[in-house]
Amino acid sequence: MESGSPVHIADLAAHEAYLRRDPLVVALVELADVRTCLFVPLLKDDELIGALGINREQVQPITDRQINLVTDFAAQTTIALESTRRERQYREAQMALAHANRIATIGQLTASIAHELKQPLAAVVIDGGGALRWLARQPPDLDEARSSVERIIKHADRATHIIGGLRDLTKQNAPRAEVVDFNEAIVEVIALTYSEAVKTGVTVSTRLAPQLPRVQGDRVQPQQVMLNLIVNAIQAMSGSGGGARELQISIDAVPSEGGVRVGVRDTGPGLSPESLSRLFEPFYTTKPEGMGMGLSICRSIIEAHGGRLWAIPCEPQGALFQFTIPATRADGS
Ligand code: ADP
């Protein structure tokens, strides 16, 4: 086999390996009822990567024509295996790249996320002190103390929400197939980016959809797209002049396309014809520290979900990025 040629054994029970009771060959003959067999090597660049085996339970030698047929089939099998392996490697590389891009995007937000977390924590301390004072009164004011504790729980929930979103986005998990609540997913991303928007003087308005079709897929990947679009919008506005800085985030059900549409609109400098035609190209960036990978990764994520991502220049200024994701059909596909 290692020489790269097919191995044809007309009768395994007459083979010297069987006669000297090689345990594997004995098992093949006596347990698996193999008599005539053919093994054709699967070769990739002269390297043996596997073999294709054909057995007969009776002694019935395989003709040269049949051996040629199986050899041709083995060559096709090698090509198919190789392309499956390449495709898997490509998918793995794409996932690793998407993960690296998420980490890089979140890295740009670290200072504002820390700030965003400090607020509920400081509020916990204030309300905790308040609760103690209400309890130390003579007689203790239990109603006020209870309100303080209820506020503490709300602040802690807010911090948990931020940390939860951060943990999901930074982990490198294999994509999951779950029912995604798009309203909830975007609220999490807005929580992570809110302080960055405030720091840049951007007002954020959000319009969620009361009723959305069922979308099944990975939750983190569309969140990564939302995160990229929102960070890009904030960065675009941070460089623009004194005009209003407004970020509008919307989610709609699109019955005509049977899915969900997310829009991120800013009032930044907008898109020049050159940038409009190159936005989604890998490594296209106009930022001094930019990598130019964000939008190209976003597009592959959305297309992998069967959706579309596009950009439109807005009047009098700014840009609108939108993506759609189809709903899950009743058969779950
Ligand atoms: P990066 O953010 O690293 O530059 P992206 O792929 O996310 O990479 O973006 C590519 C380029 O697209 C940006 O450098 C910028 O020129 C342009 N761009 C992206 N979003 C906007 C936006 N909201 N307004 C104007 N230009 C944008």
Side-chain angles (χ1 to χ4, degrees), residues 33-304:
D33 288 332
V34 174
R35 292 302 293 268
T36 296
C37 55
L38 171 70
F39 295 104
V40 178
L42 300 180
L43 298 169
K44 186 192 144 240
D45 302 332
D46 291 335
E47 187 202 335
L48 187 64
I49 59 162
L52 202 66
I54 289 186
N55 312 316
R56 282 179 172 156
E57 290 182 5
Q58 305 85 25
V59 178
Q60 189 187 347
I62 296 170
T63 63
D64 285 349
R65 216 174 70 83
Q66 287 169 329
I67 294 178
N68 286 341
L69 206 69
V70 178
T71 310
D72 283 352
F73 182 67
Q76 300 296 330
T77 308
T78 312
I79 295 169
L81 281 176
E82 192 43 21
S83 77
T84 313
R85 193 182 61 83
R86 286 226 182 91
E87 212 172 281
R88 199 185 55 230
Q89 273 181 341
Y90 173 70
R91 264 204 312 275
E92 281 169 4
Q94 254 192 337
M95 269 171 50
L97 186 63
H99 180 244
N101 176 259
R102 267 198 321 266
I103 300 289
T105 313
I106 289 172
Q108 298 171 23
L109 299 174
T110 330
S112 23
I113 292 174
H115 177 77
E116 186 69 25
L117 271 175
K118 256 195 212 154
Q119 284 180 334
L121 292 181
V124 164
V125 173
I126 292 170
D127 278 321
L132 287 178
R133 277 193 302 279
W134 293 118
L135 290 173
R137 284 213 170 172
Q138 283 309 330
D141 191 332
L142 293 182
D143 283 342
E144 287 292 352
R146 186 175 298 113
S147 307
S148 302
V149 172
E150 279 165 3
R151 280 197 299 277
I152 291 176
I153 293 173
K154 274 201 193 118
H155 304 313
D157 274 350
R158 196 172 135 207
T160 310
H161 209 63
I162 299 170
I163 293 173
L166 202 57
R167 195 191 46 216
D168 287 348
L169 277 163
T170 47
K171 264 202 226 152
Q172 187 171 18
N173 281 335
R176 283 188 297 202
E178 54 194 329
V179 177
V180 184
D181 179 338
F182 265 68
N183 284 325
E184 198 183 282
I186 205 155
V187 166
E188 250 177 39
V189 177
I190 295 171
L192 283 181
T193 47
Y194 191 73
S195 275
E196 184 74 7
V198 172
K199 193 174 87 185
T200 323
V202 170
T203 12
V204 184
S205 62
T206 311
R207 186 168 48 75
L208 302 180
Q211 281 263 305
L212 284 176
R214 231 172 93 99
V215 174
Q216 194 156 15
D218 184 68
R219 178 148 173 264
V220 170
Q221 291 185 350
Q223 277 190 313
Q224 163 162 16
V225 177
M226 298 166 189
L227 181 71
N228 262 304
L229 299 183
I230 293 175
V231 170
N232 273 348
I234 296 174
Q235 289 177 343
M237 289 188 278
S238 74
S240 63
R245 294 180 173 182
E246 285 164 16
L247 175 61
Q248 290 171 11
I249 298 160
S250 59
I251 303 197
D252 295 288
V254 224
S256 60
E257 294 192 28
V260 173
R261 182 176 57 214
V262 176
V264 177
R265 182 182 176 151
D266 65 65
T267 54
L271 305 165
S272 65
E274 134 106 11
S275 126
L276 195 57
S277 63
R278 302 194 53 200
L279 282 175
F280 297 99
E281 277 176 22
F283 302 114
Y284 172 75
T285 182
T286 53
K287 300 173 193 167
E289 306 282 313
M291 281 203 291
M293 289 306 290
L295 288 176
S296 109
I297 292 172
C298 289
R299 189 169 255 182
S300 17
I301 290 178
I302 295 299
E303 287 178 354

